[in-house]
Amino acid sequence: MSQSHLEQEFEILWKYLYPSIDLISEYKFLSNRRYRFDFVHLESKIAIEIQGGVRMRRSAHNSGDGLIRDYTKLNLALIDGWRVFQLAPDMINHDWVHAIAGLIGESSRNESRELSEV
């Protein structure tokens, strides 16, 4: 699957600010469903969804069926232990990238602490 220009914009910004934190793109998070996340950090189970077309009258994400698909995907992700960031085009910026990276770092520190306690 090819990336949208918004996904490319996010990936460029991410790699510029956090080259040492690897994200996987187009990750299928449930084996029995076709759902994919735009980007994930596997160790922390943090996903990033880039939502284009949020201001368009008719797009896949703001139609009734599209919203139900998105809600189902997000609810199944929560049940599976994922934390999901949803970013609209205006949210692809330093502030949100820093917030996501901070949560990934916090998750990594907590995991290291738990392993050292064993």
Side-chain angles (χ1 to χ4, degrees), residues 95-109:
D95 293 336
W96 281 107
V97 168
H98 287 313
I100 296 166
L103 194 56
I104 288 171
E106 182 180 303
S107 295
S108 297
R109 285 188 296 279

Side-chain angles (χ1 to χ4, degrees), residues 44-48 77-78 81-85 103-104 106-107:
S44 62
K45 282 191 106 170
I46 291 175
I48 301 115
L78 286 169
W82 287 92
R83 291 179 284 179
V84 182
F85 282 88
L103 194 56
I104 288 171
E106 182 180 303
S107 295

Side-chain angles (χ1 to χ4, degrees), residues 10-11 14-24 40-44 46 48 97-98 100-106 108-109:
F10 174 84
E11 187 170 36
W14 184 271
K15 287 181 177 180
Y16 175 75
L17 294 173
Y18 295 98
S20 64
I21 301 176
D22 291 327
L23 296 179
I24 298 169
V40 300
H41 183 259
L42 277 180
E43 294 80 18
S44 62
I46 291 175
I48 301 115
V97 168
H98 287 313
I100 296 166
L103 194 56
I104 288 171
E106 182 180 303
S108 297
R109 285 188 296 279

Side-chain angles (χ1 to χ4, degrees), residues 74-88:
L74 290 173
N75 289 341
L76 291 172
L78 286 169
I79 290 167
D80 197 44
W82 287 92
R83 291 179 284 179
V84 182
F85 282 88
Q86 302 240 23
L87 301 181

Side-chain angles (χ1 to χ4, degrees), residues 49-67:
E49 286 283 276
I50 309 299
Q51 301 293 355
V54 294
R55 291 196 173 97
M56 295 173 64
R57 272 203 162 145
R58 298 185 63 73
S59 80
H61 293 289
N62 63 20
S63 71
D65 289 341
L67 288 171

